[in-house]
Amino acid sequence: MELTLFSFRADEMSWIFAIMTTVVFLLAGIYSFGYMSHDEHKKRYACFYLLVYFILLGLDFSANLITMYLFYELMTLSSMPLILHDLKKESVSAAMKYLYYSIAGAFLALFGIFVLSRYAPSMDFVPGGHFTAGNVPNQELILGALCLMVIGFGAKAGLFPLHAWLPIAHPVAPAPASAVLSGVVVKSGVLAMIRTVFYVVGADMVRGSFVQTVWMVLTLLTIVMGSARAFHENVFKKRLAYSTVSQLSYVLFGLSTLHPVGVAGSLLHVLFHSVAKSLLFMSAGSVIHQSGKTKVSELRGIGRQMPVTLACFTLGSLSLVGIPPFAGFFSKWYLANGSLASEIPVFGWLGPVVLLLSALLTAGYLFPIAVQGFLPGKAYDRNPEKKCEAGLTMTIPMMILAALALLLGVFSTGIIEFVSQLAAGLM
């Protein structure tokens, strides 16, 4: 097989991820002007920030598995400096852990690529894939390689057991870097899975195999574990990082159903989670930047000092929990319906149960921040209520994302139709 090193093509899937990447990077970039205004290394930060953006666009528009993998690796190397930006011991340690986990996942994926390159007629991305179930030599070897690729690419998407870098990297990274890491960079692992399963191997070959079972078990386990850890976490940004671990596996679970409705729900959640989680990390960054408070237990009454920031955080929380008419409700509705429609034994009904449990836990670790922030109670010391709201360069991007979290839900019909047609074409 002749392998093309660099090949690019724009299709519907490319545009979904490219538009999402551009919106989040643009708003987080504007936010950075205020957040990084007094940072002595802001030029270095801006350089790597833009480099990550252009590498992600290369990954989004890759036309084959080899090109995508090259940009996937470049994205790891270019995003690592965003984590170790302040060069403190904790930041360097977190960045190295991010690198180690990413390399481990990449090696698993690389082994799978070697196997696929031996048996696939082409490494180009074709909707529906290149294989047909029951008609492939060494099918078990191909499925084994695919299982390793799912776990390997899952490292970037926070899938258990290669998820531990996320709650370590986010607390030390600058807030705008956390926003793009959680909103966009982790989605590179999602896109890599989509391309591998639905554009190279084919859903028909994976459906009913041990790969699907392993995939679903790991996603449901990650959803529960991430939500539970977030519920008990007191460090503000670390709580949001565990939330990302859980929410990303919503997406991966929808993909693992290999059903058009479930896949459509995953694509919706890719978009809606990017908006909500970027907003939450920017809000957390504003609180930390302006007040110096890094723990959830310190945030009682913060709404009196930063009403706009906490209002934006509340709107993002409503979307992430899935309260209608916010955007997150519609993606979770499709994920639950896709699980039921797949009629997979046990997992068909277990999926919606786990999603509901996780939604309750999500409400449990996000809503108290908003409630206690605005309504601290009679025992709250009202003397230090000096306003410390962030400047316009930080608040305007948050307000835009908060508006998107609502408007994308209210006017979601066109987006839902688009992703539904796209998902149906992948089966």
Side-chain angles (χ1 to χ4, degrees):
M1 179 194 302
E2 182 179 349
L3 299 178
T4 304
L5 191 58
F6 289 108
S7 180
F8 301 96
R9 185 180 68 242
D11 59 10
E12 291 89 347
M13 193 65 68
S14 300
W15 285 114
I16 288 176
F17 282 83
I19 291 172
M20 172 195 71
T21 298
T22 300
V23 170
V24 172
F25 263 81
L26 175 62
L27 293 175
I30 296 171
Y31 178 95
S32 298
F33 285 115
Y35 188 90
M36 308 290 291
S37 59
H38 300 297
D39 194 295
E40 59 184 43
H41 301 298
K42 56 189 174 186
K43 290 184 179 179
R44 184 186 67 200
Y45 169 85
C47 177
F48 282 106
Y49 185 86
L50 292 174
L51 183 61
V52 172
Y53 170 67
F54 288 115
I55 289 174
L56 282 171
L57 288 185
L59 189 151
D60 294 338
F61 289 108
S62 296
N64 61 50
L65 200 54
I66 303 301
T67 304
M68 186 196 73
Y69 183 80
L70 289 173
F71 279 95
Y72 184 87
E73 288 285 63
L74 287 172
M75 182 268 301
T76 297
L77 297 175
S78 61
S79 58
M80 183 178 139
L82 298 181
I83 298 172
L84 57 76
H85 174 74
D86 61 13
L87 298 179
K88 293 180 181 178
K89 182 180 178 180
E90 296 81 4
S91 302
V92 174
S93 177
M96 294 306 296
K97 194 160 191 174
Y98 167 67
L99 181 64
Y100 296 151
Y101 274 80
S102 298
I103 289 177
F107 271 118
L108 293 177
L110 184 60
F111 174 78
I113 291 175
F114 285 147
V115 174
L116 292 182
S117 67
R118 172 66 177 83
Y119 295 102
S122 171
M123 302 296 274
D124 291 341
F125 296 142
V126 177
H130 296 286
F131 296 103
T132 303
N135 223 0
V136 180
N138 294 307
Q139 181 168 321
E140 291 302 313
L141 174 60
I142 294 171
L143 288 174
L146 178 63
C147 189
L148 292 179
M149 294 181 77
V150 167
I151 296 172
F153 286 133
K156 195 70 71 186
L159 182 67
F160 178 87
L162 298 177
H163 67 287
W165 66 270
L166 266 163
I168 294 174
H170 277 299
V172 299
S178 292
V180 297
L181 279 170
S182 187
V184 177
V185 171
V186 293
K187 303 299 191 333
S188 62
V190 175
L191 179 59
M193 285 194 201
I194 292 173
R195 292 299 198 186
T196 302
V197 173
F198 296 98
Y199 286 83
V200 177
V201 176
D204 187 49
M205 183 172 172
V206 183
R207 193 176 289 110
S209 69
F210 73 91
V211 177
Q212 185 178 25
T213 302
V214 171
W215 196 359
M216 299 188 92
V217 168
L218 291 178
T219 56
L220 293 179
L221 178 63
T222 308
I223 289 171
V224 174
M225 179 203 64
S227 296
R229 292 296 297 271
F231 186 82
H232 292 287
E233 181 56 57
N234 190 35
V235 178
F236 197 4
K237 287 180 71 178
K238 200 170 183 178
R239 176 177 290 196
L240 297 181
Y242 276 120
S243 174
T244 297
V245 170
S246 176
Q247 295 289 324
L248 258 291
S249 277
Y250 280 52
V251 176
L252 302 183
F253 174 74
L255 296 177
S256 71
T257 64
L258 303 175
H259 189 279
V261 178
V263 174
S266 292
L267 295 177
L268 288 173
H269 206 61
V270 163
L271 295 173
F272 299 160
H273 172 267
S274 292
V275 171
K277 189 49 66 71
S278 299
L279 171 58
L280 293 183
F281 268 111
M282 288 185 194
S283 302
S286 293
V287 169
I288 295 169
H289 185 269
Q290 297 298 115
S291 69
K293 298 176 180 179
T294 61
K295 295 183 178 180
V296 174
S297 57
E298 301 171 340
L299 300 181
R300 184 178 293 273
I302 194 67
R304 306 287 182 87
Q305 299 170 274
M306 305 180 69
V308 175
T309 298
L310 194 60
C312 290
F313 181 89
T314 303
L315 294 177
S317 300
L318 290 168
S319 182
L320 201 66
V321 173
I323 304 298
F326 287 87
F329 168 77
F330 297 96
S331 58
K332 294 185 178 184
W333 178 267
Y334 272 76
L335 288 169
N337 276 304
S339 180
L340 293 170
S342 68
E343 298 183 347
I344 301 171
V346 181
F347 293 105
W349 61 264
L350 183 60
V353 171
V354 171
L355 293 178
L356 179 59
L357 173 62
S358 178
L360 293 174
L361 287 171
T362 304
Y365 63 71
L366 289 181
F367 286 169
I369 297 174
V371 172
Q372 294 174 13
F374 283 121
L375 304 170
K378 294 181 180 179
Y380 173 67
D381 182 5
R382 299 176 182 274
N383 292 325
E385 284 191 358
K386 183 180 179 181
K387 292 289 188 296
C388 58
E389 195 70 72
L392 290 178
T393 53
M394 294 171 68
T395 55
I396 288 177
M398 290 191 297
M399 289 189 287
I400 293 174
L401 287 171
L404 284 174
L406 177 60
L407 295 176
L408 287 176
V410 174
F411 302 103
S412 61
T413 303
I415 300 174
I416 291 173
E417 291 178 353
F418 176 77
V419 299
S420 296
Q421 291 176 4
L422 177 56
L426 299 179
M427 301 296 120

